[in-house]
Amino acid sequence: MEKVPLTKQLVDQLETFIKEKLQPNDKLPSERDLSELYHVSRNTVRSALNELFLRGFIYRSTGKGTFVAERFDERTDVSGSYSFTKQMLAMNRQPVTKIQRLEKIAVPANIAKRMRIDPGTPVYVLDRLRIADKLPMMIERSYLPALTVPDLEKDALERSPLYDWLEEHYGIHIASVDEAFFAGLVSPEDAKLLRVAPASACLNIRRTTFADTGEIVEYTLSVARADQFVYHVHHVNH
């Protein structure tokens, strides 16, 4: 019978320990403690933890340690809802939005192309840190045409979901949203805001929002923690 590698044995043992003994966001013992507990070298522990990290069972927070990630069936599904606030409330989680930046700028050429407007057109750039139950979840950078949404107010956007504000204040009805998802690594700057290690896995989201007039009223680039979000697709064979 083929011998199971020591790292694989430890991965299986730690996976069972996490599933049976720990809850999401519980802290794991240190590498030294795990080494002593399972009678293996710290290199073996480190390899096993790396495997569990890549499989989404754990996440790391710089200077704090290693923690249990959300179960896949409890992570936020980004495929079916484009309102962070409403989705968090539906999951009985307390959402908070912290606006990092709200500024009117001349739109760069690469963003202008995505928004189907001329380069240099005035747009608002809105940077938001999304938080649920005091845990940083996502960073969003949105671009909105200044002529369509004049006089955006920071205080109002912190109190009300963006799409609700667009509907109530500007009479803009959101007709459709196109989203693209791709894997990435968290930059050092974003890692500080999300409280994860630099180069941690993340889910990048590119969203284009259309009003019922056909106009693009928002273009957003988001960085979401991979340990908190899952992209779920259901296929039906007709």
Side-chain angles (χ1 to χ4, degrees), residues 9 21 36 43 48-49 61 88 105 128-129 134 140 147 149 157 162 180 201 205 210 213 215 218 225 228:
Q9 293 180 43
K21 303 294 185 181
E36 294 176 354
N43 284 338
L49 291 176
S61 181
M88 291 301 105
I105 65 168
R128 291 173 290 177
L129 176 63
K134 300 182 180 181
E140 294 183 329
L147 293 177
V149 290
L157 293 178
L162 176 61
I205 307 168
F210 297 85
T213 60
E215 178 187 10
E218 178 206 24
R225 289 175 51 153
Q228 295 295 321

Side-chain angles (χ1 to χ4, degrees), residues 157-218:
L157 293 178
E158 287 181 328
R159 295 192 308 267
S160 175
L162 176 61
Y163 296 136
D164 288 352
W165 179 252
L166 294 181
E167 177 93 43
E168 295 167 5
H169 195 72
Y170 299 104
I172 296 172
H173 176 68
I174 304 303
S176 63
V177 175
D178 288 341
E179 291 188 321
F181 306 87
F182 50 100
L185 299 176
V186 180
S187 70
E189 180 181 2
D190 290 343
K192 292 180 181 179
L193 290 173
L194 292 174
R195 284 191 254 155
V196 297
S200 296
C202 69
L203 183 65
N204 292 308
I205 307 168
R206 186 173 62 222
R207 181 174 68 240
T208 307
T209 305
F210 297 85
D212 52 7
T213 60
E215 178 187 10
I216 294 175
V217 294
E218 178 206 24

Side-chain angles (χ1 to χ4, degrees), residues 232-236:
H232 177 258
V233 180
H234 176 64
H235 293 286
V236 178

Side-chain angles (χ1 to χ4, degrees), residues 35 42 49 52 65 70 83 111-113 143 149 155 166 186 199 216-217 222 229:
S35 175
R42 291 185 67 172
L49 291 176
L52 290 170
E70 294 280 351
S83 172
I111 301 298
K113 183 177 181 181
Y143 298 87
V149 290
D155 291 344
L166 294 181
V186 180
I216 294 175
V217 294
S222 302
F229 289 86

Side-chain angles (χ1 to χ4, degrees), residues 99 101-102 124-128 140-142 144 157 162:
I99 295 180
R101 175 191 181 195
L102 178 60
Y124 282 104
V125 57
L126 172 64
D127 290 354
R128 291 173 290 177
E140 294 183 329
R141 171 163 291 176
S142 300
L144 304 102
L157 293 178
L162 176 61

